[in-house]
């Protein structure tokens, strides 16, 4: 691992931190729930937002801030009559643990990140492990604790995994890949600016 002074992540610049936080918040607003700012064609980016926030952003207080934002968006969708209360149950709080796992996964990855293509397999493995934990907590919590499945069983839960988990992993990987592509372009632009200033 690189010493903290040499690590590329989390982002160092205060302006970069602010820009990334605002971009992630906007991504969540545009893809979560059914409200005035939702882009219907896009799947929810919530998992990716928490992973990327953990990797890119330094302040720990942003984790509860993003969780509050996600909850407000859910409540707004419910208040507007765009969704039912199916997902709002005592198991909703399992989401906080699942999002915490994703945030922590981002933090772990940040310590291993290098600005090289060789880091991509590390990112992929981190995403895979983190997404399994997040899935088991969020979907398992809902299945067993929401009261929506009175005959819940381990066999019933395991039967659901092949149907729902691949889509969750694909969405997470797609958004995180796009996020790191933007990061790579920004780093390349920054390096060229430095080279131009030194010439």
């Amino acid at each position: 691992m690189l010493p903290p002074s040499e690590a590329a992540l989390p982002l160092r610049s205060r302006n970069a931190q602010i820009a990334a936080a605002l971009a992630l918040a906007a991504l969540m607003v545009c893809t979560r729930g059914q409200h005035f700012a939702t882009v219907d064609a896009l799947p929810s980016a919530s998992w990716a937002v928490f992973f990327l926030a953990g990797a890119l952003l330094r302040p720990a207080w942003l984790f509860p801030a993003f969780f509050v934002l996600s909850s407000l968006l859910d409540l707004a969708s419910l208040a507007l009559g765009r969704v039912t209360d199916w997902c709002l149950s005592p198991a909703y709080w399992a989401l906080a643990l699942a999002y915490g796992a994703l945030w922590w996964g981002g933090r772990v990855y940040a310590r291993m990140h290098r600005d090289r293509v060789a880091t991509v397999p590390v990112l992929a493995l981190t995403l895979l492990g983190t997404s399994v934990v997040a899935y088991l907590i969020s979907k398992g919590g809902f299945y067993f604790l929401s009261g929506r499945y009175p005959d819940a069983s381990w066999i019933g839960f395991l039967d659901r995994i092949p149907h729902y988990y691949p889509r969750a992993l694909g969405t997470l990987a797609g958004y995180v890949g796009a996020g790191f592509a933007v990061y790579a372009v920004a780093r390349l632009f920054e390096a060229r600016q430095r080279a131009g200033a030194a010439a």
Side-chain angles (χ1 to χ4, degrees):
M1 269 182 210
L2 289 173
S5 60
E6 298 177 28
L9 295 177
L11 299 172
R12 292 183 186 181
S13 149
R14 183 171 182 272
N15 288 342
Q17 292 267 322
I18 292 170
L22 291 175
L24 290 173
L27 181 61
M28 184 180 286
V29 167
C30 290
T31 63
R32 188 180 182 99
Q34 299 291 324
H35 51 80
F36 71 97
T38 304
V39 179
D40 290 332
L42 297 175
S44 174
S46 298
W47 279 27
V49 166
F50 281 96
F51 184 90
L52 288 168
L56 301 175
L57 307 177
R58 290 183 187 279
W61 62 264
L62 284 170
F63 172 74
F66 277 113
F67 184 71
V68 167
L69 175 61
S70 68
S71 299
L72 290 175
L73 291 170
D74 290 344
L75 291 174
S77 295
L78 182 64
L80 291 169
R82 305 284 176 83
V83 297
T84 67
D85 64 352
W86 173 259
C87 291
L88 298 178
S89 72
Y92 189 85
W93 293 104
L95 283 179
L97 297 175
Y99 292 156
L102 290 158
W103 177 280
W104 178 78
R107 286 283 202 250
V108 168
Y109 175 72
R111 293 195 293 267
M112 298 183 287
H113 175 81
R114 306 291 181 272
D115 284 344
R116 296 193 297 269
V117 175
T119 307
V120 172
V122 176
L123 175 60
L125 288 173
T126 306
L127 277 179
L128 180 63
T130 303
S131 66
V132 167
V133 173
Y135 183 88
L136 292 175
I137 293 171
S138 67
K139 304 304 182 187
F142 183 75
Y143 183 74
F144 288 107
L145 303 175
S146 68
R148 308 295 192 209
Y149 302 95
D151 299 322
S153 67
W154 281 106
I155 291 175
F157 177 63
L158 293 174
D159 283 345
R160 299 167 67 82
I161 293 175
H163 183 70
Y164 294 106
Y165 172 71
R167 180 183 298 177
L169 176 60
T171 300
L172 172 66
Y175 280 122
V176 170
F180 274 104
V182 171
Y183 167 81
V185 169
R187 292 286 283 183
L188 182 61
F189 180 73
E190 181 184 324
R192 287 186 176 174
Q193 276 192 318
R194 281 198 307 265

